[in-house]
Amino acid sequence: MMTLLKYDFRRNWNTLLAGLVILMIIQVGQTILMSPVTGSLLGIMAYVGAGVAIFVKMIKTYTANIRSYNRRLIPVTSLSHVLSPIIFGILCGLGLMLLSFTHGYLYITMKLGMNLSSYLDMPNINITNIISILLFTGWIVLFMTIIIFFSISVAGTFRWKTGPWIGIVAFLILINLISWLENMIFAGKFTPNDMIQFTEGSAGISITASGNIWADGRWGSTVFEMALALLLVWAMVYLNNKKVEV
């Protein structure tokens, strides 16, 4: 596992470093040259863009790896070929999150000269709610990644040019099937507004939690998705070993 992970970082290191430099240039530029409102908006967009870029890089890494003959020669388990790109994306995402939190704290306290608690009015939100929201969001991203990886493995089983289209169809069918099953079994999924609400006011941004995101039977839905994720991982290992051609 560590061998594959080091290989993924070494192969993508130049891209990651270039992205970090561009992100820092954008953040320094908006801090110095722009107003607080415009600069904050641009800064958030830059971090979101960096997160999307990491997600795309993780998907491209998996796509390249399952068709790489050299990767097949490394003496590791087949499961490692699936987990390595996921761990790569998680580590990069955690690094980006730490950087964004640090930058946000310094920007609010030093650039705006405000206390963090006074800038963000957060009724009904405590550290437990924040951790729950972060964990829940992380699980959504991870589950979506597993579905995309499975669709890529399905596409890799076809040698002709229709392979990518078959992968897209498999992704759409799987997404709609999971949504239908959860609606049938657990009486529907909730929207992001059920977790947290943002309201902009003259004193700052008001953030209000709508309640415990794990309440009202949502644990059952999450456990169902975890079981399905394990099944998809097993299917990916099988397809990569038996069906995907390098």
Side-chain angles (χ1 to χ4, degrees):
M1 172 67 73
M2 293 304 299
T3 301
L4 297 178
L5 191 58
K6 288 189 291 185
Y7 176 77
D8 288 336
F9 272 104
R10 185 165 57 249
R11 185 175 62 179
N12 296 306
W13 179 249
N14 289 335
T15 302
L16 294 175
L17 186 60
L20 178 61
V21 171
I22 294 174
L23 180 62
M24 293 180 64
I25 291 175
I26 293 175
Q27 299 299 353
V28 171
Q30 64 89 3
T31 301
I32 297 175
L33 302 176
M34 296 184 178
S35 64
V37 175
T38 304
S40 298
L41 180 60
L42 178 62
I44 294 174
M45 292 177 59
Y47 280 116
V48 171
V52 173
I54 291 175
F55 189 76
V56 172
K57 175 59 67 174
M58 177 176 58
I59 294 173
K60 293 180 65 176
T61 298
Y62 178 76
T63 304
N65 289 346
I66 64 174
R67 289 187 175 273
S68 173
Y69 180 75
N70 294 333
R71 296 268 297 200
R72 298 294 184 93
L73 297 178
I74 300 177
V76 296
T77 62
S78 300
L79 181 61
S80 299
H81 293 281
V82 177
L83 297 182
S84 177
I86 294 178
I87 297 176
F88 167 79
I90 290 175
L91 293 177
C92 291
L94 290 176
L96 180 65
M97 185 182 301
L98 179 61
L99 179 63
S100 65
F101 285 164
T102 304
H103 176 233
Y105 175 79
L106 295 177
Y107 183 83
I108 293 173
T109 56
M110 299 179 65
K111 170 68 175 180
L112 302 181
M114 301 176 64
N115 185 275
L116 186 62
S117 59
S118 63
Y119 182 76
L120 296 177
D121 178 23
M122 300 188 295
N124 303 325
I125 288 188
N126 51 40
I127 188 64
T128 303
N129 287 336
I130 294 175
I131 294 176
S132 296
I133 292 171
L134 291 176
L135 290 176
F136 185 80
T137 304
W139 167 246
I140 292 176
V141 175
L142 177 59
F143 186 54
M144 183 62 63
T145 300
I146 293 174
I147 294 176
I148 294 175
F149 281 10
F150 173 76
S151 302
I152 293 173
S153 293
V154 171
T157 62
F158 297 90
R159 300 184 60 181
W160 51 85
K161 295 182 179 180
T162 55
W165 293 105
I166 294 176
I168 293 174
V169 172
F171 172 80
L172 295 176
I173 292 176
L174 191 56
I175 286 292
N176 284 280
L177 179 60
I178 294 173
S179 178
W180 178 78
L181 288 174
E182 291 188 337
N183 281 323
M184 290 291 294
I185 299 173
F186 303 104
K189 297 284 286 182
F190 58 97
T191 65
N193 287 332
D194 294 326
M195 288 195 304
I196 192 169
Q197 296 178 348
F198 295 87
T199 304
E200 184 177 358
S202 58
I205 302 174
S206 176
I207 305 177
T208 305
S210 301
N212 187 354
I213 62 175
W214 304 108
D216 301 328
R218 292 165 191 165
W219 267 114
S221 177
T222 303
V223 171
F224 171 78
E225 291 174 352
M226 289 180 178
L228 183 58
L230 292 176
L231 180 61
L232 292 178
V233 169
W234 174 85
M236 280 187 280
V237 172
Y238 173 79
L239 290 175
N240 294 342
N241 287 338
K242 304 296 184 179
K243 302 296 183 179
V244 176
E245 298 186 10
V246 296

